[in-house]
Amino acid sequence: MSSRALAVLGCSLLLLLWGECQEREKPHKAAKKKVATEPKLNELRPPKATGHQRQPAAAKALKAKAQVKAPVSPSQVHPPVSILTQVVAKGQFQKVLDSLTLAAGDTLELRCRGRSVRWRFPAYLEDEDEGRLKIKHFERYSQLLVLNATAADTGEYSCWAFQCRDSACWDREDRTGQAFVFFTDPQELFVPTEDYYEVVQLRTNHPTLLPCQVTSPGAQVTLHREFPPEEVAVDGVDISYDVKRGFVIHRPQPSCAGSLFCMASLGGVRQISTKYMLIYINYPPSAPKPTVRASATTVGAGENFNVTCTVFGEPEVAVDFTWEYPGQKIGRPPYVRECADLARRGGQVQQESESVFYVDEARAIDEGLYTCSATNLQGTTAVSTRVRVLPASLARRGARSG
Ligand SMILES: *[C@@H]1O[C@H](CO)[C@@H](O)[C@H](O)[C@H]1NC(C)=O
Ligand SMILES: *[C@@H]1O[C@H](CO)[C@@H](O)[C@H](O)[C@H]1NC(C)=O
């Protein structure tokens, strides 16, 4: 690997760590793809999961607004009747089967039958403020319009009916509809993204998605390695391609790591996708093993103390911390600082993740058990330590005699 590539890789590692810290603080914004986090195994399987890269934010927004559950995969019980139709011309409707292909510049008009209907669409459209997306609810149906569509609007559109009674709402899982809509653009064979490259984590035993989505279902798509330049074999078993999602690496190996990109060709035009910087992560097979330590087991009232929770683990594997503490009872907000650093330990580079819980000017209420729970994708482990708070007078006497 050239030194430049190494430098880029180094930077992306930093970005990655930074990204993880950011994520804890606030939910990330929809269309701004930063770091491609790994989809969960079950998200990769069902037909429902199409375009999931851009879905979670939209789903969250819907939840926040209406407190409805995300629609459950319709294939779970009986195949329900789709409530979705496409309006192809004035007064002319067409049943939507799985996918639709329109051209960039066209108008998409979808309708879903029902009095109360919600929609899900590529999150990109939600952030876009040119007013190209319009949703109107009528007595017996709901209408979704995308005006002057662009290649970037390509993705999954779905709707579902819901019912409300006494301020409680629930989804009608038997009344849904979904369609993947391609907006073909001879200039944009790939759905445009904001980033020149994306960092993708390859984890042991976790399928990984390279989301190079095409805007035309007829495009021929191949996968390529940058250094050394070569085409990557796509056998449909270890690596497969889905025209609505991109390439899936089913069993990541350390040898998959490196810089990859997709190439699409259609009608004499050839384009390459965003570059994917694949970083292999040896994901631990178990939950984190935290240790917890208070700066003092006994403090005097009015003194400051802190409790530190530490996890040593694989680099790049995010650990989330939560605390339970005595002051919770009276609603005292936690004051916590977290950081993660690479440390060399026994000849191996490990990540030291730390969460420090601070108590300023301890009071009697702060006496008790401090419990730190550390979580990774494999599970949660909790550890506790007890801190005693002595009344100020006793603490002073103790200090004088000691
Ligand atoms: C759609 O495009 C037409 C023609 O270019 C333009 O006049 C119109 O304002 C556009 N509408 C929206 C909502 O962008
Ligand atoms: C925790 O408190 C001790 C004693 O007050 C102090 O020396 C130490 O620096 C604190 N630790 C952190 C991480 O702030």
Side-chain angles (χ1 to χ4, degrees):
M1 209 184 278
S2 74
S3 58
R4 195 168 145 258
L6 270 175
V8 170
L9 200 66
C11 286
S12 50
L13 278 173
L14 276 179
L15 271 176
L16 203 70
L17 286 174
W18 179 79
E20 275 167 11
C21 286
Q22 293 287 304
E23 231 158 277
R24 239 172 253 146
E25 279 156 26
K26 53 176 186 228
H28 47 88
K29 217 158 170 268
K32 310 245 186 317
K33 288 197 214 164
K34 277 175 269 157
V35 175
T37 50
E38 169 130 2
K40 283 192 209 95
L41 185 66
N42 56 3
E43 287 180 289
L44 283 163
R45 291 261 171 77
K48 181 99 225 17
T50 323
H52 92 103
Q53 271 278 353
R54 292 186 282 174
Q55 270 179 14
K60 239 179 267 161
L62 284 172
K63 249 188 217 163
K65 275 180 214 147
Q67 302 213 312
V68 290
K69 284 185 296 167
V72 171
S73 173
S75 59
Q76 273 181 350
V77 219
H78 325 276
V81 185
S82 174
I83 56 170
L84 182 69
T85 50
Q86 184 198 4
V87 182
V88 283
K90 220 175 171 63
Q92 209 181 320
F93 304 94
Q94 188 169 298
K95 267 221 142 22
V96 180
L97 300 167
D98 186 52
S99 69
L100 288 175
T101 306
L102 279 76
D106 282 356
T107 294
L108 170 70
E109 181 175 351
L110 296 174
R111 282 189 185 183
C112 275
R113 273 182 286 127
R115 278 159 56 91
S116 309
V117 169
R118 303 220 165 267
W119 293 91
R120 187 172 298 173
F121 40 81
Y124 164 84
L125 271 169
E126 194 161 31
D127 284 0
E128 196 249 25
D129 45 14
E130 288 163 34
R132 294 190 302 107
L133 172 77
K134 293 191 192 317
I135 290 177
K136 275 193 202 155
H137 299 291
F138 297 91
E139 175 103 35
R140 290 178 23 216
Y141 67 92
S142 176
Q143 175 198 50
L144 176 144
L145 274 176
V146 180
L147 304 172
N148 300 353
T150 71
D153 302 335
T154 297
E156 177 140 303
Y157 292 75
S158 60
C159 63
W160 65 98
F162 67 96
Q163 270 180 342
C164 294
R165 194 181 302 145
D166 305 335
S167 75
C169 296
W170 65 95
D171 298 333
R172 291 287 308 267
E173 280 152 26
D174 54 335
R175 299 184 59 77
T176 64
Q178 71 183 86
F180 194 91
V181 186
F182 293 97
F183 290 102
T184 63
D185 182 342
Q187 307 304 316
E188 299 270 15
L189 296 186
F190 287 105
V191 176
T193 61
E194 290 192 346
D195 304 315
Y196 176 66
Y197 73 86
E198 250 179 48
V199 176
V200 177
Q201 296 189 359
L202 293 169
R203 287 187 191 134
T204 334
N205 302 325
H206 285 258
T208 301
L209 177 69
L210 306 184
C212 50
Q213 254 171 25
V214 281
T215 59
S216 297
Q220 288 293 318
V221 190
T222 49
L223 184 61
H224 299 260
R225 183 171 290 281
E226 199 170 20
F227 309 111
E230 62 182 10
E231 185 172 338
V232 177
V234 176
D235 58 5
V237 178
D238 286 333
I239 303 181
S240 63
Y241 184 69
D242 178 340
V243 73
K244 298 175 187 172
R245 310 185 47 222
F247 286 99
V248 177
I249 302 175
H250 294 277
R251 277 174 290 275
Q253 304 290 325
S255 61
C256 301
S259 172
L260 268 63
F261 59 88
C262 312
M263 186 184 287
S265 42
L266 183 68
V269 178
R270 228 184 213 201
Q271 285 180 349
I272 65 166
S273 69
T274 295
K275 297 218 168 101
Y276 300 101
M277 204 61 90
L278 273 58
I279 297 174
Y280 185 79
I281 294 171
N282 199 4
Y283 205 80
S286 58
K289 297 178 183 65
T291 54
V292 70
R293 191 178 48 81
S295 58
T297 50
T298 305
V299 297
E303 289 176 9
N304 299 345
F305 69 94
N306 54 59
V307 187
T308 303
C309 189
T310 309
V311 171
F312 284 97
E314 306 288 343
E316 303 298 306
V317 174
V319 178
D320 285 316
F321 294 100
T322 52
W323 286 92
E324 282 171 52
Y325 53 99
Q328 239 167 340
K329 291 193 290 280
I330 57 156
R332 182 179 275 213
Y335 173 29
V336 176
R337 227 172 49 198
E338 286 179 11
C339 64
D341 238 329
L342 291 182
R344 199 168 277 281
R345 220 176 160 231
Q348 276 186 332
V349 175
Q350 285 203 315
Q351 178 173 270
E352 180 179 2
S353 310
E354 207 173 70
S355 177
V356 185
F357 189 100
Y358 293 89
V359 176
D360 283 349
E361 297 179 9
R363 291 192 274 155
I365 188 72
D366 296 313
E367 173 166 303
L369 209 58
Y370 288 79
T371 303
C372 157
S373 298
T375 304
N376 66 15
L377 289 182
Q378 302 294 339
T380 300
T381 313
V383 283
S384 306
T385 189
R386 192 172 287 281
V387 177
R388 278 188 71 197
V389 180
L390 298 178
S393 53
L394 264 181
R396 265 197 305 276
R397 206 177 308 150
R400 228 177 282 139
S401 66

